[in-house]
Every structure is written in structure tokens, then in C-alpha cells.
Amino acid sequence: MKLLRYGALGAEKPGLLDNAGLLRDLSGHVDDITGDTLDDVTLAKLRALDPADLPIVEGEQRIGACVGNIGKFLCIGLNYSDHAAETGAAIPKHPILFFKANSAIVGPYDDVVMPRGSTHTDWEVELGVVIGKEAKYVSKEDALDYVAGYCIVNDVSERHFQNNLTGQWTKGKSCDTFGPTGPWLVTRDEVGDPQNLNMTCDVNGKRMQTGTTSTMIFTVAEIIEHLSQLFTLHPGDVITTGTPPGVGMGIKPEPIYLKKGDVMDLTIEGLGHQRQNVDQDA
């Protein structure tokens, strides 16, 4: 099941993408796609609906972030061995955790706007994990039962802010629009094994990242286990799980960074496609 949110920013409505690729309205069944509607019982009720009975949403629609009212936006860094190698970083012994401000969250086709003075903004295609029920002290064997579904996240990163402004990575990760999320939340039953998904990122039509979630250092289940030992994961929390190699920072002999007018295209197998035009604050 592919769940999404459509409409103007801040006024999104819940929707479902049917097997024919038609957008169907879910407003008669749920108020929104949020942590309040991602439990197994509610998802089972939505799954039991006949999409043909749902109203078709006509006309071109803005697609918003696939989850509304995200609680925590949790990010795992350096979680692909080949990405760690391209950045010259050691393989971490435990998942590296940082937070992305919720004000960074935008839709999958919204513009990414670089902040004033930015010259080191970078792309990162990542698998996003959406929590569906409260998780505390869970084991990796049970961890995937706590997942509502999966989505694409572009963990846009300003590397100078991230590495040179003193402090945590959050400074370079949390700029406005630096968290395109969606287009769909694909429920876990449809995704199957989250450790067997191909992923790509193109910039201006050139393939920059090609990877697979099979090369994660810490699996989705291990990440959930680890985080749930530290604090409670709540329904609607999003965990973005790291990026494969091919980021601009790692290009040799000279890094390449985004500039105004660039276009990013991101895909993850079964989870759809994102596209963002790059702009810059004056």
C-alpha cells in the first residue's frame, strides 16, 4: 500500500496511490497520514478498502511529505562502508546519530533552497524508515514489526556548516528544505526485505550515486534496536539510514557541490522517485 499526502503546504490531505497509478482520496477514512494513523489496526482497515471505491483526485497536485506531524527526524551517519571510505572516515562501532530539524521537511518535488552564502551543499539519497508503534527496548529480531513503512529521504547537507561551524552535524543538516521526504510511504508488507533495495541519485541527469541497502553497516533492525535502548521511538518518527557512495564531497580530485539551477533525481526500488530543483536564498 502506497500512502501519500497531497495539497498545499500545511494543508495536505491523505491519499492512496492505486495499482494503476491513480491518486485516490482517503479523507473519508483518516484525517491525515500521521503517527496517529500508522498503527497496524488502522493500516489493516485502509488495506481492506477497495481503491476503486475511493474518489479519484483530479488535476495536478503538489505532493507533500508522506508523513505529517513527524515527531523525531532521526538520522544515521556513515552507515555504508563504501561511503565511509570515500569520506576518509573510520567504520563506526555504533550507529552515528544526529537529528535533522523538522523545519527542514518538505515534499519530494519541492525546491531545495540553499541558505545564504552556501557553497558546499550536497546530496544524499537515503532509505527512510517510518515508525508505526511505540518502540522501547526492542530486539533486532522483533524490530521490523515496529515499522509502518518506508520512503525516500534526500538528506541534503551543507558540508561547510556541518564540518566547520563547530558542534554537531545538525548545523549542516537542518537548513530549511533540506529534508525532502516521500513521495509515498510504502507499507512494510509491500516492501519486504529493506536490506535489498537498489538506490540512485542523479544530478543534472548524471548518475552520481548507485548503491544498495545491502551494504549498510547497521541494518534497519539493528538501528531500531540500538535507538530504542536509548529513548522511546514513537509512531510517526522517521529514521533516515545513511547514504551510499557518490556524494559531492567525496568526488576526486575536487569535490562538486550543488549550485542554483541544478536538478536532483532520486530513486529507491519500489519507493518511487523524487526530483528537486535547487535555488538559493538571496
mmCIF file with all atom_site columns, all heavy atoms in Angstrom, residues 23 28 30 39 74 125 131 139 147 178 253 259:
data_model
loop_
_atom_site.group_PDB
_atom_site.id
_atom_site.type_symbol
_atom_site.label_atom_id
_atom_site.label_alt_id
_atom_site.label_comp_id
_atom_site.label_asym_id
_atom_site.label_entity_id
_atom_site.label_seq_id
_atom_site.pdbx_PDB_ins_code
_atom_site.Cartn_x
_atom_site.Cartn_y
_atom_site.Cartn_z
_atom_site.occupancy
_atom_site.B_iso_or_equiv
_atom_site.pdbx_formal_charge
_atom_site.auth_seq_id
_atom_site.auth_comp_id
_atom_site.auth_asym_id
_atom_site.auth_atom_id
_atom_site.pdbx_PDB_model_num
ATOM 1  N N   . LEU A 1 23  ? -4.231  8.672  -8.074  1.00 0.00 ? 23  LEU A N   1
ATOM 2  C CA  . LEU A 1 23  ? -4.288  9.197  -6.719  1.00 0.00 ? 23  LEU A CA  1
ATOM 3  C C   . LEU A 1 23  ? -5.732  9.151  -6.230  1.00 0.00 ? 23  LEU A C   1
ATOM 4  O O   . LEU A 1 23  ? -6.640  9.704  -6.860  1.00 0.00 ? 23  LEU A O   1
ATOM 5  C CB  . LEU A 1 23  ? -3.758  10.630 -6.690  1.00 0.00 ? 23  LEU A CB  1
ATOM 6  C CG  . LEU A 1 23  ? -3.862  11.390 -5.365  1.00 0.00 ? 23  LEU A CG  1
ATOM 7  C CD1 . LEU A 1 23  ? -3.183  10.640 -4.234  1.00 0.00 ? 23  LEU A CD1 1
ATOM 8  C CD2 . LEU A 1 23  ? -3.265  12.792 -5.521  1.00 0.00 ? 23  LEU A CD2 1
ATOM 9  N N   . GLY A 1 28  ? -12.166 10.505 3.662   1.00 0.00 ? 28  GLY A N   1
ATOM 10 C CA  . GLY A 1 28  ? -13.344 9.933  4.303   1.00 0.00 ? 28  GLY A CA  1
ATOM 11 C C   . GLY A 1 28  ? -13.025 8.851  5.309   1.00 0.00 ? 28  GLY A C   1
ATOM 12 O O   . GLY A 1 28  ? -13.933 8.351  5.991   1.00 0.00 ? 28  GLY A O   1
ATOM 13 N N   . VAL A 1 30  ? -9.436  8.684  7.032   1.00 0.00 ? 30  VAL A N   1
ATOM 14 C CA  . VAL A 1 30  ? -8.468  9.203  8.012   1.00 0.00 ? 30  VAL A CA  1
ATOM 15 C C   . VAL A 1 30  ? -8.310  10.695 7.777   1.00 0.00 ? 30  VAL A C   1
ATOM 16 O O   . VAL A 1 30  ? -8.502  11.184 6.661   1.00 0.00 ? 30  VAL A O   1
ATOM 17 C CB  . VAL A 1 30  ? -7.088  8.500  7.907   1.00 0.00 ? 30  VAL A CB  1
ATOM 18 C CG1 . VAL A 1 30  ? -7.163  7.062  8.381   1.00 0.00 ? 30  VAL A CG1 1
ATOM 19 C CG2 . VAL A 1 30  ? -6.534  8.575  6.490   1.00 0.00 ? 30  VAL A CG2 1
ATOM 20 N N   . ASP A 1 39  ? -0.720  2.844  12.969  1.00 0.00 ? 39  ASP A N   1
ATOM 21 C CA  . ASP A 1 39  ? -0.723  1.597  13.725  1.00 0.00 ? 39  ASP A CA  1
ATOM 22 C C   . ASP A 1 39  ? -1.243  0.466  12.838  1.00 0.00 ? 39  ASP A C   1
ATOM 23 O O   . ASP A 1 39  ? -1.899  0.685  11.814  1.00 0.00 ? 39  ASP A O   1
ATOM 24 C CB  . ASP A 1 39  ? -1.595  1.736  14.972  1.00 0.00 ? 39  ASP A CB  1
ATOM 25 C CG  . ASP A 1 39  ? -3.035  2.080  14.620  1.00 0.00 ? 39  ASP A CG  1
ATOM 26 O OD1 . ASP A 1 39  ? -3.317  3.276  14.388  1.00 0.00 ? 39  ASP A OD1 1
ATOM 27 O OD2 . ASP A 1 39  ? -3.870  1.157  14.553  1.00 0.00 ? 39  ASP A OD2 1
ATOM 28 N N   . LEU A 1 74  ? 15.240  11.432 12.840  1.00 0.00 ? 74  LEU A N   1
ATOM 29 C CA  . LEU A 1 74  ? 16.488  10.844 13.300  1.00 0.00 ? 74  LEU A CA  1
ATOM 30 C C   . LEU A 1 74  ? 17.321  10.411 12.104  1.00 0.00 ? 74  LEU A C   1
ATOM 31 O O   . LEU A 1 74  ? 16.802  9.825  11.152  1.00 0.00 ? 74  LEU A O   1
ATOM 32 C CB  . LEU A 1 74  ? 16.199  9.626  14.184  1.00 0.00 ? 74  LEU A CB  1
ATOM 33 C CG  . LEU A 1 74  ? 15.292  9.894  15.390  1.00 0.00 ? 74  LEU A CG  1
ATOM 34 C CD1 . LEU A 1 74  ? 14.624  8.614  15.846  1.00 0.00 ? 74  LEU A CD1 1
ATOM 35 C CD2 . LEU A 1 74  ? 16.111  10.505 16.513  1.00 0.00 ? 74  LEU A CD2 1
ATOM 36 N N   . VAL A 1 125 ? 20.972  10.360 -1.170  1.00 0.00 ? 125 VAL A N   1
ATOM 37 C CA  . VAL A 1 125 ? 19.781  9.525  -1.245  1.00 0.00 ? 125 VAL A CA  1
ATOM 38 C C   . VAL A 1 125 ? 19.810  8.524  -0.091  1.00 0.00 ? 125 VAL A C   1
ATOM 39 O O   . VAL A 1 125 ? 20.836  7.897  0.178   1.00 0.00 ? 125 VAL A O   1
ATOM 40 C CB  . VAL A 1 125 ? 19.680  8.794  -2.608  1.00 0.00 ? 125 VAL A CB  1
ATOM 41 C CG1 . VAL A 1 125 ? 20.877  7.899  -2.882  1.00 0.00 ? 125 VAL A CG1 1
ATOM 42 C CG2 . VAL A 1 125 ? 18.383  8.003  -2.689  1.00 0.00 ? 125 VAL A CG2 1
ATOM 43 N N   . ILE A 1 131 ? 8.256   4.829  11.788  1.00 0.00 ? 131 ILE A N   1
ATOM 44 C CA  . ILE A 1 131 ? 7.834   4.009  12.928  1.00 0.00 ? 131 ILE A CA  1
ATOM 45 C C   . ILE A 1 131 ? 6.303   4.011  13.016  1.00 0.00 ? 131 ILE A C   1
ATOM 46 O O   . ILE A 1 131 ? 5.649   5.040  12.842  1.00 0.00 ? 131 ILE A O   1
ATOM 47 C CB  . ILE A 1 131 ? 8.450   4.547  14.229  1.00 0.00 ? 131 ILE A CB  1
ATOM 48 C CG1 . ILE A 1 131 ? 9.980   4.466  14.157  1.00 0.00 ? 131 ILE A CG1 1
ATOM 49 C CG2 . ILE A 1 131 ? 7.918   3.778  15.449  1.00 0.00 ? 131 ILE A CG2 1
ATOM 50 C CD1 . ILE A 1 131 ? 10.529  3.063  14.005  1.00 0.00 ? 131 ILE A CD1 1
ATOM 51 N N   . SER A 1 139 ? 14.211  -5.838 20.467  1.00 0.00 ? 139 SER A N   1
ATOM 52 C CA  . SER A 1 139 ? 15.329  -6.605 19.919  1.00 0.00 ? 139 SER A CA  1
ATOM 53 C C   . SER A 1 139 ? 15.348  -6.467 18.409  1.00 0.00 ? 139 SER A C   1
ATOM 54 O O   . SER A 1 139 ? 14.336  -6.152 17.776  1.00 0.00 ? 139 SER A O   1
ATOM 55 C CB  . SER A 1 139 ? 15.185  -8.079 20.295  1.00 0.00 ? 139 SER A CB  1
ATOM 56 O OG  . SER A 1 139 ? 14.073  -8.646 19.623  1.00 0.00 ? 139 SER A OG  1
ATOM 57 N N   . VAL A 1 147 ? 7.795   -1.114 12.404  1.00 0.00 ? 147 VAL A N   1
ATOM 58 C CA  . VAL A 1 147 ? 7.875   -0.232 11.232  1.00 0.00 ? 147 VAL A CA  1
ATOM 59 C C   . VAL A 1 147 ? 6.524   -0.177 10.538  1.00 0.00 ? 147 VAL A C   1
ATOM 60 O O   . VAL A 1 147 ? 5.925   -1.218 10.251  1.00 0.00 ? 147 VAL A O   1
ATOM 61 C CB  . VAL A 1 147 ? 8.947   -0.736 10.244  1.00 0.00 ? 147 VAL A CB  1
ATOM 62 C CG1 . VAL A 1 147 ? 8.942   0.084  8.964   1.00 0.00 ? 147 VAL A CG1 1
ATOM 63 C CG2 . VAL A 1 147 ? 10.326  -0.701 10.903  1.00 0.00 ? 147 VAL A CG2 1
ATOM 64 N N   . PHE A 1 178 ? 15.921  21.065 3.611   1.00 0.00 ? 178 PHE A N   1
ATOM 65 C CA  . PHE A 1 178 ? 16.981  20.056 3.489   1.00 0.00 ? 178 PHE A CA  1
ATOM 66 C C   . PHE A 1 178 ? 16.516  18.640 3.837   1.00 0.00 ? 178 PHE A C   1
ATOM 67 O O   . PHE A 1 178 ? 17.346  17.755 4.032   1.00 0.00 ? 178 PHE A O   1
ATOM 68 C CB  . PHE A 1 178 ? 18.179  20.437 4.369   1.00 0.00 ? 178 PHE A CB  1
ATOM 69 C CG  . PHE A 1 178 ? 19.167  21.367 3.690   1.00 0.00 ? 178 PHE A CG  1
ATOM 70 C CD1 . PHE A 1 178 ? 18.785  22.196 2.652   1.00 0.00 ? 178 PHE A CD1 1
ATOM 71 C CD2 . PHE A 1 178 ? 20.493  21.399 4.106   1.00 0.00 ? 178 PHE A CD2 1
ATOM 72 C CE1 . PHE A 1 178 ? 19.700  23.045 2.034   1.00 0.00 ? 178 PHE A CE1 1
ATOM 73 C CE2 . PHE A 1 178 ? 21.417  22.246 3.495   1.00 0.00 ? 178 PHE A CE2 1
ATOM 74 C CZ  . PHE A 1 178 ? 21.021  23.059 2.451   1.00 0.00 ? 178 PHE A CZ  1
ATOM 75 N N   . PRO A 1 253 ? 39.365  14.614 -8.316  1.00 0.00 ? 253 PRO A N   1
ATOM 76 C CA  . PRO A 1 253 ? 40.264  15.233 -7.323  1.00 0.00 ? 253 PRO A CA  1
ATOM 77 C C   . PRO A 1 253 ? 39.638  16.408 -6.586  1.00 0.00 ? 253 PRO A C   1
ATOM 78 O O   . PRO A 1 253 ? 40.156  16.819 -5.550  1.00 0.00 ? 253 PRO A O   1
ATOM 79 C CB  . PRO A 1 253 ? 41.446  15.692 -8.181  1.00 0.00 ? 253 PRO A CB  1
ATOM 80 C CG  . PRO A 1 253 ? 40.834  15.987 -9.513  1.00 0.00 ? 253 PRO A CG  1
ATOM 81 C CD  . PRO A 1 253 ? 39.748  14.969 -9.694  1.00 0.00 ? 253 PRO A CD  1
ATOM 82 N N   . LYS A 1 259 ? 24.615  23.955 -7.021  1.00 0.00 ? 259 LYS A N   1
ATOM 83 C CA  . LYS A 1 259 ? 24.501  25.392 -7.298  1.00 0.00 ? 259 LYS A CA  1
ATOM 84 C C   . LYS A 1 259 ? 23.081  25.680 -7.770  1.00 0.00 ? 259 LYS A C   1
ATOM 85 O O   . LYS A 1 259 ? 22.334  24.768 -8.168  1.00 0.00 ? 259 LYS A O   1
ATOM 86 C CB  . LYS A 1 259 ? 25.532  25.828 -8.336  1.00 0.00 ? 259 LYS A CB  1
ATOM 87 C CG  . LYS A 1 259 ? 25.391  25.151 -9.682  1.00 0.00 ? 259 LYS A CG  1
ATOM 88 C CD  . LYS A 1 259 ? 26.520  25.532 -10.613 1.00 0.00 ? 259 LYS A CD  1
ATOM 89 C CE  . LYS A 1 259 ? 26.329  24.920 -11.995 1.00 0.00 ? 259 LYS A CE  1
ATOM 90 N NZ  . LYS A 1 259 ? 26.247  23.447 -11.973 1.00 0.00 ? 259 LYS A NZ  1
#
